[in-house]
Amino acid sequence: MAKKTLTTNQGVPVADNQSSLTAGQRGPVLLEDVHLIEKLAHFDRERIPERVVHAKGAGVHGYFQVYKSMAEYTKAAFLQDVKKKTPVFVRFSTVVGARGSADSARDPRGFAVKFYTDDGNYDLVGNNLPVFFIRDAIKFPDMVHSFKPAPDTNIPTSSSANSRFWDFISLTPESTHMITWLFSDRGTIKSYRKMEGFGVNTYIWVNEKGKGVYVKYHWKPAAGIETIDRHESTRLAGEDPDVATRDLYDWIASGKTVEFELNVQLMEFDDEFRLDFDPLDATKTWPEDTYPLMKVGKMVLDKNPENYFAEVEQAAFCPASVVPGIEPSADKLLQGRLFSYADTQRHRLGPNYLQIPINRPIVPVNNNQRDGFMQSGIGFYGTVNYEPNTLGGGSPQQSGDSTFGGRPIEGAQMRKKIALTNDFQQAGERYRSLSKNDQDHLVDNIVDPLSHAKKEIRKRMVENLTRADAELGKRVAQGLKL
Ligand code: HEM
């Protein structure tokens, strides 16, 4: 391969990259060494803020294809044609650990998919567990603070194993269901290829006639589900902390593909108030016997990123990135997420983060938003940067498509919990649905870290678990010698 000439960022050839420019052989160094100054100054700015959550991740490219048209339920363009392959970029992640933390630690895993559709980008930003700790976004910063390193010591006590985590969790009864997932072996994995994905929140699909239906997303891994126990997780955290990152990269690099099948559960709006739980509550699953999984299509992942920073670190996913045919529901957790992601990305990547190639839609972007840091101005020509206008021939003009799903919204201002909290029922059902071995692991996985928490916190936690299932509470209490 022909060797390229080393250049500065201005494209000027660099004659010597080994020795600074000095006055005499022994120096001092001259300020006019522009190559040295540029090199150091750029290096000094290499780090950007890490994601406030989901800091450690791995990315991969691929495509998505439906098995059959979803036109009956949604007009979303990428869900219509069985021949259409929509390009995707996926980022899998851990949640709590910092950028250099271990892949195998107990944690939910992020499962974020960006579909580059002909109607603009659609992001499905999910996790590998079907429910969440809380149901109102106003609690999210407190929740994350209690999971992250302590503000005084900065000590991340092996992910979740500390009083601060259990203090918050035990005072948040709606988290009990999530605990039965996170502290089962579903919370410890070593391969992103072998886990499920869930949208967790409830969205709305809207068809061409304007009819809406609630939807929950599920990704099923073609390779099946694989978990590890807490001892293997601890061993790997020491011996191979990047195990899941490497597994994904090596698998794709060897020419193999990774497949996930997209399934959805659909629910008519009329069912919203007919159940013994609130279907828009992110701490709940929808029973699959009443709301069966419907197969939608498959995602095939087949190409590694070429530059980790450019593609994976700078990827920006957001639940508010929806396309016509998909809308958010009134789910109070989701509503907060709609604001939070783009907000943090403007801080983390700058106001023009959607012009970065990995985030840029494959369709033209036409609007009058201008300027700001790192503006590349692609497609922004001419004298008209306002609307309405005649000087630009009235262009760009609005599409006029304003079909909404038609979900009813009404009510006076208030700060209220949802009426139907039902915090423990699904947690108990989940425990009772596990095999004996999985129940043993769940108890052991809770007892080990919880034993480090203060006694009053341990007792509060046992009370919540007992309300979910008397046997589960009793076994954890016994393990804690309470
Ligand atoms: C109110 C609740 C939540 C808030 C406020 C919130 C906020 C955030 C923020 C600020 C980020 C960093 C984004 C970035 O820097 O690019 C993030 C990342 C992420 N969140 Fe959430 N989150 C919430 C709940 C959830 C839930 C329920 C899920 C799963 C369904 C989830 C999945 C993810 C994923 C997968 C990422 C990483 C995206 C990536 O790979 O870049 N989050 N979240």
Side-chain angles (χ1 to χ4, degrees), residues 28-44:
V29 175
L30 297 178
L31 189 57
E32 73 178 67
D33 189 345
V34 286
H35 171 53
L36 169 71
I37 288 172
E38 179 192 86
K39 190 173 173 182
L40 291 180
H42 195 276
F43 173 76
D44 294 344

Side-chain angles (χ1 to χ4, degrees), residues 385-428:
N385 57 358
Y386 55 90
E387 193 271 347
N389 69 68
T390 53
L391 293 182
S395 177
Q397 62 178 350
Q398 57 201 24
S399 76
D401 175 0
S402 56
T403 10
F404 285 100
R407 76 195 137 109
I409 301 176
E410 58 177 325
Q413 252 182 325
M414 64 185 78
R415 289 183 188 275
K416 283 265 166 64
K417 279 190 181 176
I418 58 169
L420 200 55
T421 53
N422 203 348
D423 286 336
F424 303 106
Q425 184 179 326
Q426 290 196 357

Side-chain angles (χ1 to χ4, degrees), residues 238-476:
E239 289 179 13
D240 193 2
D242 305 308
V243 59
T245 308
R246 187 196 341 280
D247 169 76
L248 182 66
Y249 190 92
D250 287 353
W251 185 265
I252 299 288
S254 73
K256 295 190 260 263
T257 58
V258 180
E259 276 190 36
F260 289 92
E261 178 174 82
L262 183 65
N263 289 251
V264 290
Q265 288 178 288
L266 300 174
M267 183 190 289
E268 296 296 336
F269 292 161
D270 285 350
D271 283 7
E272 187 170 345
F273 300 106
R274 288 192 187 149
L275 304 165
D276 60 2
F277 66 95
D278 187 327
L280 304 191
D281 172 352
T283 70
K284 301 294 188 294
T285 53
W286 297 353
E288 290 181 17
D289 44 0
T290 321
Y291 303 99
L293 294 184
M294 180 174 83
K295 291 180 194 304
V296 176
K298 67 170 180 182
M299 178 165 75
V300 178
L301 304 174
D302 56 5
K303 185 176 167 292
N304 275 325
E306 283 167 14
N307 183 298
Y308 181 86
F309 184 90
E311 294 162 72
V312 188
E313 193 60 18
Q314 295 197 119
F317 300 87
C318 174
S321 297
V322 290
V323 288
I326 304 176
E327 294 172 13
S329 75
D331 174 337
K332 292 192 208 187
L333 191 79
L334 175 60
Q335 293 276 319
R337 296 181 72 201
L338 299 178
F339 162 73
S340 198
Y341 288 70
D343 181 54
T344 200
Q345 285 146 8
R346 289 182 189 105
H347 159 68
R348 186 165 74 79
L349 304 163
N352 287 308
Y353 68 101
L354 292 176
Q355 292 184 9
I356 299 171
I358 193 69
N359 299 323
R360 198 183 287 160
I362 54 170
V363 289
V365 173
N366 305 312
N367 61 41
N368 297 310
Q369 294 169 30
R370 288 292 184 274
D371 307 346
F373 288 109
M374 310 301 281
Q375 173 63 253
S376 55
I378 294 167
F380 293 170
Y381 307 118
T383 189
V384 174
N385 57 358
Y386 55 90
E387 193 271 347
N389 69 68
T390 53
L391 293 182
S395 177
Q397 62 178 350
Q398 57 201 24
S399 76
D401 175 0
S402 56
T403 10
F404 285 100
R407 76 195 137 109
I409 301 176
E410 58 177 325
Q413 252 182 325
M414 64 185 78
R415 289 183 188 275
K416 283 265 166 64
K417 279 190 181 176
I418 58 169
L420 200 55
T421 53
N422 203 348
D423 286 336
F424 303 106
Q425 184 179 326
Q426 290 196 357
E429 286 167 5
R430 156 100 181 130
Y431 172 73
R432 291 186 291 278
S433 75
L434 295 174
S435 69
K436 172 80 176 60
N437 185 53
D438 286 340
Q439 288 182 339
D440 293 349
H441 281 214
L442 174 65
V443 170
D444 178 53
N445 292 341
I446 294 176
V447 167
D448 178 60
L450 187 55
S451 65
H452 300 287
K454 288 196 167 139
K455 191 166 182 190
E456 66 182 80
I457 297 174
R458 277 184 275 156
K459 280 168 93 175
R460 214 159 49 215
M461 203 55 225
V462 167
E463 278 164 28
N464 287 349
L465 294 170
T466 305
R467 292 182 70 181
D469 184 276
E471 182 190 282
L472 172 61
K474 192 170 155 197
R475 292 186 65 189
V476 171

Side-chain angles (χ1 to χ4, degrees), residues 27-339:
V29 175
L30 297 178
L31 189 57
E32 73 178 67
D33 189 345
V34 286
H35 171 53
L36 169 71
I37 288 172
E38 179 192 86
K39 190 173 173 182
L40 291 180
H42 195 276
F43 173 76
D44 294 344
R45 290 164 178 77
E46 277 183 9
R47 298 290 172 274
I48 60 171
E50 70 173 29
R51 287 171 178 80
V52 67
V53 282
H54 295 260
K56 171 100 185 273
V60 57
H61 296 267
Y63 66 88
F64 176 79
Q65 199 170 10
V66 286
Y67 298 140
K68 60 172 188 177
S69 170
M70 291 290 121
E72 185 181 345
Y73 314 103
T74 173
K75 61 183 173 176
F78 75 108
L79 297 175
Q80 308 298 316
D81 180 359
V82 292
K83 289 196 224 86
K84 175 91 189 160
K85 286 186 178 176
T86 300
V88 298
F89 181 70
V90 180
R91 182 173 177 270
F92 301 113
S93 50
T94 54
V95 176
V96 178
R99 205 142 47 187
S101 59
D103 287 345
S104 62
R106 181 171 312 286
D107 215 353
R109 302 296 186 286
F111 193 127
V113 183
K114 187 179 290 295
F115 299 82
Y116 301 89
T117 88
D118 294 340
D119 267 343
N121 287 352
Y122 171 53
D123 294 345
L124 177 48
V125 196
N127 278 344
N128 74 326
L129 306 177
V131 288
F132 204 59
F133 301 93
I134 50 173
R135 56 167 78 95
D136 189 322
I138 202 164
K139 300 180 81 157
F140 188 76
D142 294 294
M143 183 201 102
V144 173
H145 286 171
S146 80
F147 294 8
K148 286 271 191 178
D152 49 353
T153 62
N154 194 36
I155 297 177
T157 31
S158 68
S159 157
S160 311
N162 59 32
S163 274
R164 305 172 66 255
F165 173 87
W166 292 108
D167 193 20
F168 180 88
I169 289 295
S170 62
L171 292 167
T172 309
E174 66 268 35
S175 68
T176 313
H177 188 196
M178 178 66 160
I179 294 303
T180 64
W181 284 92
L182 181 60
F183 284 81
S184 73
D185 288 346
R186 288 286 190 116
T188 43
I189 58 153
K190 63 175 183 180
S191 171
Y192 290 131
R193 296 181 291 113
K194 298 179 187 168
M195 62 178 198
E196 288 183 291
F198 301 91
V200 180
N201 293 114
T202 301
Y203 295 84
I204 295 173
W205 272 6
V206 189
N207 69 13
E208 204 59 63
K209 293 184 189 130
K211 182 183 179 308
V213 63
Y214 286 134
V215 58
K216 256 188 193 295
Y217 295 97
H218 299 242
W219 290 108
K220 300 281 180 195
I225 298 170
E226 186 187 60
T227 60
I228 53 176
D229 68 18
R230 71 180 174 87
H231 306 288
E232 177 73 348
S233 151
T234 306
R235 185 186 69 76
L236 285 169
E239 289 179 13
D240 193 2
D242 305 308
V243 59
T245 308
R246 187 196 341 280
D247 169 76
L248 182 66
Y249 190 92
D250 287 353
W251 185 265
I252 299 288
S254 73
K256 295 190 260 263
T257 58
V258 180
E259 276 190 36
F260 289 92
E261 178 174 82
L262 183 65
N263 289 251
V264 290
Q265 288 178 288
L266 300 174
M267 183 190 289
E268 296 296 336
F269 292 161
D270 285 350
D271 283 7
E272 187 170 345
F273 300 106
R274 288 192 187 149
L275 304 165
D276 60 2
F277 66 95
D278 187 327
L280 304 191
D281 172 352
T283 70
K284 301 294 188 294
T285 53
W286 297 353
E288 290 181 17
D289 44 0
T290 321
Y291 303 99
L293 294 184
M294 180 174 83
K295 291 180 194 304
V296 176
K298 67 170 180 182
M299 178 165 75
V300 178
L301 304 174
D302 56 5
K303 185 176 167 292
N304 275 325
E306 283 167 14
N307 183 298
Y308 181 86
F309 184 90
E311 294 162 72
V312 188
E313 193 60 18
Q314 295 197 119
F317 300 87
C318 174
S321 297
V322 290
V323 288
I326 304 176
E327 294 172 13
S329 75
D331 174 337
K332 292 192 208 187
L333 191 79
L334 175 60
Q335 293 276 319
R337 296 181 72 201
L338 299 178
F339 162 73

